[in-house]
Amino acid sequence: MSSIRYLAPARARGRDCTYNLFRNRLRPELLCAVPEDRPVPGFLDPGGWRYERALRPSDKSPPGFEERAARAGVRFNGFYLFQITDARAELAA
């Protein structure tokens, strides 16, 4: 008698932390995501960057934000730089 096992469908791994988003003042399409439990990198000075908003796990990702790349960036650098890929897109709160 054979046994049939059913696997649960794979689902995309969601964001598991809240990121603080910072926007570059000279290039507004460039953002930096820093997990809220990490220190803010020194290059995010108020003259060149401004705080945009918190990106919570339940929030929709901005265009250009890649979950897997964010995890790798944070793992190696402590932050994740990304570019908004749709010029018409706004970061909805």
Side-chain angles (χ1 to χ4, degrees):
M1 181 191 261
S2 66
S3 171
I4 299 175
R5 294 184 185 188
Y6 294 96
L7 299 176
R11 63 183 165 122
R13 188 171 156 194
R15 226 179 353 267
D16 56 0
C17 72
T18 296
Y19 290 94
N20 289 314
L21 296 181
F22 298 86
R23 186 182 291 266
N24 187 282
R25 291 183 187 274
L26 295 176
R27 295 187 55 205
E29 72 280 0
L30 185 62
L31 286 97
C32 183
V34 181
E36 68 178 355
D37 64 346
R38 297 278 186 125
V40 175
F43 72 87
L44 295 176
D45 65 275
W49 296 80
R50 68 177 168 84
Y51 175 78
E52 185 74 22
R53 69 176 179 96
L55 179 62
R56 293 177 176 74
S58 60
D59 294 342
K60 182 179 176 187
S61 295
F65 186 96
E66 298 290 332
E67 303 293 340
R68 187 173 177 186
R71 286 191 298 274
V74 167
R75 179 177 173 211
F76 292 108
N77 302 315
F79 59 89
Y80 169 55
L81 288 173
F82 70 99
Q83 182 173 335
I84 296 292
T85 55
D86 183 352
R88 300 166 297 172
E90 290 295 321
L91 292 178

